[in-house]
Structure formats: C-alpha cells, structure tokens
Amino acid sequence: MITADLSWILDDLVNFPSARNAVVLSADGLRMAASSDVTDELADHISATASGMQSLGRNAATFVGDDVTPWQQTMIQYRGGYLFLVAASDRSYLVASAQADVDIVAFSDRMAKVVERLGPALGVAPRNSEDERG
C-alpha cells in the first residue's frame, strides 16, 4: 500500500474539465489512493471492480493478436460519461471517471502524465502468503 498521501495528484487530475473521480489501486484490487471527493466505500468498490475489469481485458489479448500483447487501457462508455482504466505500473492501475462531454484524447493524455508523476510511488510489491494470512 502507498503510505504517502497522493490524493493531491489525483485531485489535479480531476480538476480537468468534465473529470469526476480518480483512484489508484493495486493489481489485487486494493485502494491505494483516491481523489478527495471519493469516499472510502466508493474507492474500495471501484478498486475491486476495476481489478476485475483489468483481468478481463488482459485475458482478451488473444483476440487482438496473441497472448503476449500486454493490456494497457480499458475505456467504458456510459450514457452519462466514461470510465478509464490504465496501467500505472506492473502491479497498479489508475481508474478515473468523466462526464460525457470530456475530451477523451486530452483526458487520456492527462492520465498518462499523472502516471508519470506518480512514478516510483506506484511500485507495489507482490503480496506473499504471510501477508495474506494476516
């Protein structure tokens, strides 16, 4: 888990026109950081959901070409907006939402810049069996 407060970087992301919320999660679906307006309950819910979405996207790689094609991003469009999920490191992801009128290309670019800014803080060590037993 990230120990530093990274919400200010995510707040900067959601300051983008038509952006709504942002969460950083680990590959196993644990919330690592969230923008200020995201409750803990919502952050935990979207972290678990986004982890599953990433897994499904990764498993569809053979449909794109071959199974070594790495997953990089998933975007889902809803009537009221978009959900974006991008790789942030080997074991973490950035998920963000935006309203329907967001500039998709510019917002995706902004997300990539946020991932760069988060940099080494997103390195998540794999959990071992002792961690899982708690």
Side-chain angles (χ1 to χ4, degrees):
M1 238 293 181
I2 292 177
T3 56
D5 179 13
L6 300 176
S7 63
W8 66 274
I9 296 174
L10 298 178
D11 288 341
D12 187 46
L13 173 63
V14 298
N15 194 31
F16 189 86
S18 298
R20 298 192 60 172
N21 302 302
V23 172
V24 174
L25 61 132
S26 64
D28 55 359
L30 299 176
R31 166 182 43 100
M32 299 170 66
S35 55
S36 295
D37 289 342
V38 178
T39 65
D40 288 348
E41 183 179 350
L42 179 57
D44 290 343
H45 174 77
I46 196 60
S47 293
T49 301
S51 177
M53 290 169 39
Q54 187 281 332
S55 179
L56 290 171
R58 184 181 67 241
N59 287 320
T62 54
F63 189 70
V64 173
D66 60 51
D67 58 87
V68 297
T69 299
W71 171 88
Q72 293 180 309
Q73 178 175 333
T74 297
M75 182 184 79
I76 300 175
Q77 181 178 5
Y78 299 89
R79 184 176 298 146
Y82 297 91
L83 185 140
F84 301 86
L85 177 62
V86 299
S89 74
D90 288 342
R91 302 215 15 98
S92 63
Y93 312 110
L94 170 62
V95 60
S97 62
Q99 298 172 15
D101 63 346
V102 72
D103 180 332
I104 294 170
V105 174
F107 189 60
S108 293
D109 182 57
R110 180 77 167 258
M111 288 181 69
K113 288 179 180 166
V114 165
V115 167
E116 287 177 18
R117 287 174 67 193
L118 291 170
L122 293 180
V124 178
R127 292 171 62 187
N128 63 34
S129 58
E130 280 186 36
D131 290 341
E132 291 174 12
R133 287 191 307 252

